[in-house]
Structure formats: structure tokens, C-alpha cells
């Protein structure tokens, strides 16, 4: 025990639990790094000979010589471990052991059978059915495989990702309860995903956010990542004062917030007080914190919503001056600002500019311009825009066609609206109520009551749920 104790209590408990009886080799500089069988299997460099221990020139994976199994830890100190050879080492994995240097969350857990299908479900989860599918996959993996705790945690965390993406806070808390009940070790990612589920859920409240943050602290996870998620959750729940108050607490405690934390509070402030948001940005710069793309995304979009295209453009220029590269999101905000002001020509110029800058327009880019045309009744320009969209290789969606139909309706162009309705159906896009409303508005504009009634009947036959908008026409 004296030889092993140099590794510290955690290392000693880990070794004892896997049946290690004696330790050989220089260990005085191991710095208390705990040992794991995952480490043991990664590289084996020590070979026992009749004259003692000798270092080999190359690693040999998964190797045993008699009763000796050997390893190299990250400090490059060599160890030979005398262990019981009658039992497979994997059955001795300590119940509560958490090896920071061999975290399966970081390694990706790709060796776990079935984990890739669970991950695929989690990445695209958006509905209650997706979460149930992910839960069934998780339960299947855990019930059919004998996984060590860190890998069980990886499976649970994958499921928590699905719950977070779908905004299923109850599923996330149920998963946490199961992890605690089955003694699965928790980590930062566990609490991070639960807080994200709290963030995206409509049922959760600010009190839930504070409660789960406290649980994370009790388990020793008061980290910048957790604090950032909490800040974002408070901002999303529209608790602006609480989000900014939390930022002040971080600064007061002597910890330095990062750009993401500031960007989150800037986002929350910008929805209510644009000037205050810009002052927070200036404060961040004064603190010596370099802004990231998200900071500028928030400010550019906020100014666009406030119908201040000149101010939005000044923030875009400031972004470029700091060596950051705007992407389609930033340019789309600029186009949106021009569109809200009814400046079609400026919108088109920004599309040309973003292409020259190397950012490719997206469906949202063209839909923003189409929406502007719809509001101003410029159906010919809307048709040109849709044509350019198709030429650029993008496929118009339901929003694209509805905006075009609405643009035709604004000018009383019923036949053109019908043309684009037929085109939409032809390419396999199912119309919604606003498609029919656009058609009815087009004929109502010129007083063609028979056609309005015709499209109302078509709307009812389609099975599309009616709302007051259709009757207003």
C-alpha cells in the first residue's frame, strides 16, 4: 500500500477495485493521475524478462505477459501492474470511477454498438415521437450491453441531447433520475443538456433554471459552459434583468466572462432596449474581450428589426474591421433591414455584395426579398427574384411560393397567382391556408367574387383547417 499511495486515494481505490496487488516502476512523478483499464489497453511498453523489467521499443496493443499487465500514463512514466489473471479486467471497473483523461464523452463513444443510430436520432430530434424513439434506442443499448459507467453516461447524454433539441424538459429530468438511480456518474455535459432542455421547453420556468444550476454547482460543475447556458436560458425566457444580473455577479466574483456570455445578454437587451445592448458591447470591448460573430449577428439583426439599415451596416463594417468574416446570416439581416424599409434595389445590391464577398445566398436570402415584394405588391420583381433563386441552384419552398402569390394578389393579378399556385403543386409542395388566402385576395382585389368563392371551396375541399383570415377576405 505504501508503493501505491503515491498515486493518491483515487488512484489507490481504482487499482484496488480492479484487483491490482503490487506496483512496479518509477511512480514518484505521477501527480495523482488515476488509473483506468482503458489506459492499460491503449499502449503496452513494458515486458517482463528473467532479469527484471525492460522497456520495449514499440507499443503492443492489449498485451499480457504471465500475471503482468502494463501501461503508460500521460506523464510517460512506466508502470507494470501485477493483477489477478483469473478474471477479465473489464468486470472490475469501479462503480463510481470517473477518469478525466479517458472520458468517453471526449472520445466520442463510437465503439459502443448502436450509439451512432442514437446520435443520429438525437441530432434531428424535434418532436415527442423523436424523443420516444431515442429513449427506446437508449434503453435497448443499456439493456443488451454490459457498459462501464463512463460509457453508460455517454449513452444517457446522447439521449439528453434529443430531449434538449426537442424541448422535452420532463424527458430530460426523467433521464437524470434514472442516471442517479443506477449510479451512473454525472458530468458537465449531463447538466448542460438538462439546462438546454429547460431552455428550449415551453413548460419550464426561470425557477427551473435556477434549480438545475444549483444542482450542477452541488456536483462541482460551476463552469463557464454551465454559466453560459444559464445566461442563455434566462435570456430566452425573457428574464433580461436576471441575465444581466448574473453577468454582473460573474464579473464581481473576479471571474472573466467570455464573448458568448456578453453576446447572450446583448441579445436579451436588444429585444427591449437597443441602445443598452450597444452599450453592453462597448463595455465588453473595454474589458478586453474580443467580440465574436454572434455578438455582431445580434446587433445587426436588432438594428434591422428597428428599421435602421444604416446603423446595421455600420456594425457590419465594424465586424469586418476586426478581422471577422460575415456569413449569410449577417448579410440576410442587412437584406431584411432594406426589405423592411421597402428598398428593393438595396436588397438586391446586398445579394450581389455577399456573393462577391464569398458568402452564398440561401433560401432565406431570397425569401426575405420575396416577402418585401409581397408587402409592396411588386409581383414582377418577385417573379424575377424567384427566377434568380432557381438559377442559383436553390429550390423555392412553401414560403417562397406563398410570398410570390401574395405579391401577385397585391396587384390583383389572379391569373399569375394561379400560375404560381399550379407551379408549386407541380413540384410537390403542398399548399397551406395562406396559399389559398393569397389566391382569394388576388381576385377580391378586382371584385371577382365568383373566383373568390371558387378558391374558398377549394380550400375547404383540401382539408386545410380554416381560420378567420380566410373569412376576412
Amino acid at each position: 500500500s505504501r508503493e501505491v499511495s503515491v498515486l493518491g486515494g483515487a488512484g489507490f481505490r481504482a487499482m484496488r477495485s480492479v484487483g491490482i496487488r503490487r506496483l512496479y516502476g518509477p511512480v514518484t512523478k505521477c501527480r495523482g493521475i488515476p488509473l483506468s483499464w482503458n489506459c492499460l489497453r491503449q499502449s503496452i511498453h513494458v515486458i517482463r524478462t528473467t532479469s527484471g523489467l525492460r522497456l520495449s521499443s514499440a507499443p503492443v496493443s492489449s498485451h499480457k505477459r504471465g500475471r503482468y499487465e502494463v501501461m503508460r500514463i500521460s506523464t510517460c512514466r512506466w508502470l507494470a501492474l501485477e493483477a489477478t489473471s483469473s478474471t477479465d479486467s473489464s468486470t472490475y471497473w469501479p462503480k463510481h470511477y470517473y477518469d478525466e483523461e479517458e472520458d468517453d464523452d471526449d472520445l466520442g463513444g463510437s465503439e459502443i454498438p448502436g450509439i451512432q443510430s442514437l446520435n443520429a436520432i438525437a441530432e434531428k430530434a424535434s418532436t415527442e415521437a423523436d424523443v420516444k424513439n431515442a429513449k427506446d434506442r437508449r434503453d435497448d443499448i443499456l439493456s443488451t450491453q454490459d457498459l462501464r459507467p463512463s460509457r453508460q453516461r455517454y449513452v444517457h447524454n446522447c439521449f439528453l441531447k434529443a430531449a434538449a433539441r426537442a424541448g422535452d424538459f420532463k424527458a430530460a429530468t426523467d433521464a437524470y433520475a434514472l442516471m442517479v438511480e443506477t449510479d451512473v456518474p454525472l458530468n458537465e455535459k449531463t447538466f448542460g443538456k438538462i439546462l438546454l432542455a429547460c431552455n428550449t421547453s415551453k413548460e419550464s420556468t426561470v425557477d427551473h433554471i435556477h434549480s438545475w444550476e444549483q444542482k450542477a454547482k452541488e456536483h462541482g460543475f460551476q463552469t463557464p459552459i454551465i454559466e453560459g447556458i444559464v445566461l442563455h436560458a434566462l435570456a430566452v425566457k425573457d428574464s433580461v434583468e436576471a441575465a444581466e444580473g448574473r453577468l454582473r455577479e460573474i464579473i464581481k466574483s473576479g471571474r472573466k466572462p467570455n464573448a458568448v456570455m456578453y453576446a447572450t445578454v446583448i441579445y436579451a437587451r436588444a429585444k427591449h432596449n437597443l441602445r443598452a445592448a450597444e452599450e453592453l458591447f462597448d463595455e465588453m470591448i473595454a474589458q478586453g474581450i474580443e467580440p465574436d460573430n454572434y455578438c455582431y449577428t445580434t446587433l445587426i439583426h436588432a438594428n434591422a428589426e428597428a428599421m435602421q439599415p444604416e446603423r446595421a451596416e455600420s456594425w457590419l463594417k465594424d465586424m469586418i474591421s476586426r478581422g471577422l468574416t460575415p456569413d449569410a446570416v449577417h448579410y440576410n439581416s442587412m437584406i431584411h433591414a432594406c426589405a423592411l424599409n421597402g428598398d428593393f434595389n438595396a436588397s438586391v445590391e446586398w445579394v450581389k455584395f455577399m456573393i462577391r464577398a464569398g458568402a452564398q445566398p440561401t433560401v432565406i436570402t431570397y425569401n426575405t426579398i420575396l416577402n418585401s415584394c409581397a408587402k409592396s405588391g411588386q409581383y414582377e420583381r418577385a417573379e424575377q427574384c424567384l427566377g434568380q433563386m432557381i438559377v442559383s441552384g436553390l429550390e423555392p419552398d412553401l414560403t417562397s411560393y406563398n410570398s410570390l402569390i401574395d405579391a401577385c394578389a397585391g396587384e390583383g393579378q389572379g391569373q399569375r397567382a394561379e400560375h404560381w399556385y399550379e407551379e408549386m403543386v407541380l413540384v410537390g409542395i403542398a399548399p397551406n391556408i395562406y396559399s389559398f388566402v393569397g389566391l382569394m385576395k388576388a381576385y377580391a382585389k378586382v371584385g371577382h367574387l365568383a373566383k373568390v368563392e371558387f378558391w374558398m371551396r377549394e380550400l375547404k375541399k383540401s382539408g386545410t383547417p380554416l381560420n378567420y383570415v380566410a373569412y376576412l377576405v
Side-chain angles (χ1 to χ4, degrees), residues 218-230:
E218 290 170 0
H219 285 80
F221 301 115
Q222 187 177 12
T223 66
I225 291 176
I226 295 295
E227 288 178 330
I229 294 172
V230 169

Side-chain angles (χ1 to χ4, degrees), residues 65-84:
R65 291 279 178 157
R67 291 190 304 152
Y68 291 90
E69 183 154 11
V70 292
M71 66 171 286
R72 182 185 65 160
I73 61 175
S74 61
T75 52
C76 297
R77 298 293 175 180
W78 303 97
L79 306 173
L81 307 177
E82 179 179 352
T84 54

